[in-house]
Amino acid sequence: MAAMIGKQCGDEDREVTMRRYLRDTTFVAVVLCQAVATLLLGGVALAAEDAVLLASTTPGYAPGMVVAAGDRLRLPEGASVTLLLRSGEMLRLRGPLETALETAVPARSAGSAVALANVFRARGIDASVIGGARASTVARHRLPEDVMLDVQRSGTWCIGPSDTLWLTRPAEDVSALALRRRGNVRSIAWPPGASRVEWPSDVQVEDGDRFGVVVNGKATATLTIRLVSATDRSEAALLAEAMLLGCHEQYQTALSRLARTAVPPELWLTTDRGRNSAAYRSGEPVELIVMANMPGFLYCVVEQADNTTTAVFPAGAIDGARLPEAVPVSLQGHRHSLALQAGPRGTARVRCWLADRDVAPELPHALLDASGSRLPDQLAAELDTIFARVHGSRMAKATVELRID
């Protein structure tokens, strides 16, 4: 190839021509690779964009957090996060994983959750779409709302074109209240006994406007207003937009409700020495750490290497079997449940079940016994069946193995 270029252009220009040739062919190769990738993914060019964390069994990741495209996700083995995309679709990623969304999906235009999941799976990452495409295709008209702005607390509020803004009455007596924006001050009359006043019609609001509130001559808060689009979209897409705009407090309850109805319950279980065949010496204390993607009630047993099974939670735990949402909890920590010790040499197994309600009245009493007595062999063998027979409750299960030396 170099000889051919030399004949065409002269030996003295060979090096310059070769550099140009390599540069141009490299550019063409990159374009072709991107085109092939797009075709392989069904003709959809992908791009990472910011997402909202909808549910989590990963320590350090709480529902409502905004995961920027450049943020590095670090998920330990077995732990998961469910991301709510701007489209209203939901993408679940499970560890082990350490990557940023923009690193995983380096392209120029937005794609669907299905296509994003395909990209992650091609990289060996456990990824799935929650609820399919239905979440983004079922359109719901956004009804007008009364949006209450607390004049004593700074925050961000999202409003639609048909929403009505109200200022809520502060705790102290109001002799004078004003809104201040870019040097302009608008006084507001507060009728005696009124718990709220409507936003003044002559004070126009644009997206991103920040209003300072002055009550009785004292600055009390800064109100930030974001405008949401009026198009018909799914409830999930509207929630994603509002959370990405910063209206967390206003929509956190609705986000939690969406998570409970759309995301299957999950439970992550590990030990103070990790999750993969954590090694202990016989008699050493074992600390169990659990995290659930929904509030629920937890029940755990340990099967020792000698085939004895014992209930370890909630046996004697403060607040019983209750487990908070998206918070890592040490079962042998502040809740003082039955201490777990490594048993005889061999492989022990801890099994836990999470229910979305308190199912203790429907379980054998031995599972709740705080004495640490061995469970009858038949009961131990039927635990999965017992929990499966509980009606009216969504369940999740997790298991971790211990190596006892």
Side-chain angles (χ1 to χ4, degrees), residues 62-117:
M65 288 176 53
V66 171
V67 179
D71 290 345
R72 182 162 290 274
L73 288 168
R74 293 181 175 88
L75 279 60
E77 182 184 2
S80 71
V81 293
T82 300
L83 301 177
L84 176 62
L85 306 183
R86 193 178 295 273
S87 63
E89 296 174 294
M90 303 166 210
L91 175 68
R92 182 176 60 199
L93 302 173
R94 192 183 307 279
L97 165 65
E98 183 171 350
T99 188
L101 294 177
E102 67 180 10
T103 302
V105 192
R108 295 182 179 273
S109 59
S112 69
V114 173
L116 290 171

Side-chain angles (χ1 to χ4, degrees), residues 32 39 61 80 100 105 124 168-169 209 262 282 284 309:
L32 286 174
L39 289 173
Y61 293 86
S80 71
V105 192
T168 61
R169 187 182 187 90
D209 273 348
S282 183
E284 282 188 318
T309 301

Side-chain angles (χ1 to χ4, degrees), residues 127-143:
S128 58
V129 177
I130 303 296
R134 243 174 52 182
S136 63
T137 58
V138 178
R140 297 180 183 177
H141 182 66
R142 188 180 187 278
L143 298 176

Side-chain angles (χ1 to χ4, degrees), residues 161-178:
S162 302
D163 292 342
T164 303
L165 278 179
W166 296 86
L167 300 172
T168 61
R169 187 182 187 90
E172 61 182 295
D173 290 335
V174 181
S175 59
L177 187 145

Side-chain angles (χ1 to χ4, degrees), residues 141-164:
H141 182 66
R142 188 180 187 278
L143 298 176
E145 296 179 358
D146 286 342
V147 180
M148 305 297 180
L149 277 60
D150 188 343
V151 298
Q152 293 184 295
R153 189 172 64 225
S154 297
T156 301
W157 282 266
C158 289
I159 63 170
S162 302
D163 292 342
T164 303

Side-chain angles (χ1 to χ4, degrees), residues 189-274:
W190 202 281
S195 62
R196 64 181 186 174
V197 293
E198 191 171 351
W199 186 272
S201 59
D202 59 340
V203 178
Q204 300 301 311
V205 176
E206 297 180 354
D207 185 42
D209 273 348
R210 294 165 59 88
F211 294 87
V213 181
V214 181
V215 178
N216 298 338
K218 181 176 63 178
T220 60
T222 299
L223 312 178
T224 302
I225 310 298
R226 301 305 306 265
L227 304 183
V228 298
S229 56
T231 56
D232 285 352
R233 289 175 298 161
S234 69
E235 179 187 15
L238 289 169
L239 278 175
E241 180 185 9
M243 297 298 286
L244 291 170
L245 289 175
C247 304
H248 303 285
E249 186 174 348
Q250 184 182 358
Y251 284 97
Q252 188 66 51
T253 299
L255 190 78
S256 297
R257 184 169 58 247
L258 174 65
R260 287 195 299 269
T261 57
V263 181
E266 288 193 25
L267 182 66
W268 181 64
L269 176 63
T270 188
T271 74
D272 56 326
R273 299 186 185 178

Side-chain angles (χ1 to χ4, degrees), residues 273 278-287 302 304-305 339-346 348 402-405:
R273 299 186 185 178
Y280 295 86
R281 292 185 180 276
S282 183
E284 282 188 318
V286 178
E287 181 182 0
V302 59
Q304 301 287 7
L340 174 59
Q341 291 185 327
R345 293 181 59 182
L402 315 175
R403 190 179 77 246
I404 313 301
D405 298 327

Side-chain angles (χ1 to χ4, degrees), residues 30-40:
V30 170
V31 172
L32 286 174
C33 287
Q34 290 179 342
V36 170
T38 300
L39 289 173
L40 289 175

